Amino acid sequence: MATNDCGDVPSHILVQKQMQDLLLAQQATVQRLQEATTINETTVSREQYESLLKELEMEKISHAQTRVKLNDTTDKLEFALGEVEVLTKQLERERTQFEKSFGLLKNKTLKESSKKVEFETKYSAAEAQCAKQGDVLKSRDEDIKELSLKLKLQKQEYDRQVRELNVQQQQDLYIAKMMQAENKGRFKGKVGLKKL
């Protein structure tokens, strides 16, 4: 809306006020003329006539100036209204473009968000599977350690038994040799007795 140079009063209100002032001034002039003719209907002094004529000319000049100002203000107002219309259309285009861009971004964000949720779900599932496999591997590792310990103990037991068997075998061989030697000595003694 166009405004005057004096402040924030809209132009059409200023024009309306000037038109009211002009009408009031003209009415006052007409009333003075009527009063002057009522006082002396038959004659009007030349001074009064010239004064009133001069006043009427000034009112005409003032009216013409006001009309020029009114036309100027109307042109400015029409120009301003044209600019407002252009700016309104531009704003509407920009708003439509913004809403379109915003809609696209919103859709993209929603898709990205759903992808993120999907990835997080997959990641959580993989993490849970990994933890589960970790527990299985830990359990198997403990089983392997337990079996390794049993195997080690069994090996130690077998080694002990093998050592004992070796000792037993050597003792048996020693006893066998001793018995064999003893049997030979007896046999020789018996053979020597028979020859006598």
Side-chain angles (χ1 to χ4, degrees):
M1 178 80 53
T3 58
N4 65 349
D5 296 337
C6 299
D8 294 333
V9 179
S11 297
H12 68 280
I13 292 176
L14 179 66
V15 170
Q16 187 178 7
K17 176 109 174 78
Q18 288 175 348
M19 290 296 288
Q20 284 176 351
D21 291 344
L22 179 63
L23 282 173
L24 287 173
Q26 286 176 346
Q27 284 175 355
T29 305
V30 169
Q31 189 174 355
R32 272 182 286 180
L33 280 172
Q34 284 175 347
E35 286 172 3
T37 43
T38 326
I39 294 171
N40 191 359
E41 288 187 2
T42 54
T43 59
V44 175
S45 71
R46 181 126 179 120
E47 289 175 359
Q48 281 182 330
Y49 174 74
E50 286 177 359
S51 171
L52 288 175
L53 194 60
K54 193 174 182 181
E55 223 175 284
L56 183 61
E57 285 299 317
M58 287 178 68
E59 286 298 324
K60 283 181 181 178
I61 291 169
S62 175
H63 178 71
Q65 288 174 345
T66 304
R67 183 155 300 281
V68 168
K69 282 184 184 176
L70 175 63
N71 288 339
D72 188 40
T73 305
T74 304
D75 289 344
K76 286 180 182 176
L77 179 62
E78 285 175 1
F79 178 75
L81 288 173
E83 282 187 335
V84 166
E85 188 178 348
V86 168
L87 290 173
T88 303
K89 286 179 182 177
Q90 183 181 349
L91 183 64
E92 186 61 31
R93 281 194 307 273
E94 288 176 1
R95 187 174 66 81
T96 304
Q97 184 63 35
F98 171 77
E99 285 175 356
K100 185 179 176 183
S101 299
F102 179 74
L104 290 172
L105 282 174
K106 188 177 178 184
N107 286 341
K108 188 176 180 181
T109 304
L110 286 173
K111 284 179 184 175
E112 293 296 326
S113 184
S114 67
K115 278 183 183 178
K116 181 184 171 204
V117 169
E118 187 181 338
F119 284 136
E120 283 176 351
T121 305
K122 285 181 180 178
Y123 176 76
S124 296
E127 198 173 42
Q129 183 67 25
C130 192
K132 191 175 177 183
Q133 286 178 347
D135 290 342
V136 168
L137 288 174
K138 187 176 178 183
S139 172
R140 285 184 182 169
D141 194 38
E142 287 174 3
D143 289 346
I144 288 170
K145 283 180 183 176
E146 191 177 324
L147 288 172
S148 292
L149 183 62
K150 281 183 181 179
L151 188 63
K152 187 177 178 182
L153 291 173
Q154 281 180 350
K155 186 178 181 297
Q156 287 175 354
E157 179 63 23
Y158 290 146
D159 287 347
R160 188 187 62 75
Q161 287 178 2
V162 166
R163 281 194 307 273
E164 284 181 4
L165 281 173
N166 284 338
V167 169
Q168 182 70 37
Q169 197 177 27
Q170 286 184 4
Q171 285 178 350
D172 288 346
L173 280 172
Y174 180 72
I175 291 172
K177 280 182 183 178
M178 291 294 284
M179 287 180 72
Q180 198 176 25
E182 197 177 304
N183 282 339
K184 272 188 184 182
R186 275 192 213 156
F187 182 67
K188 279 183 183 180
K190 282 185 182 177
V191 170
L193 287 175
K194 281 182 183 178
K195 285 183 182 178
L196 291 173

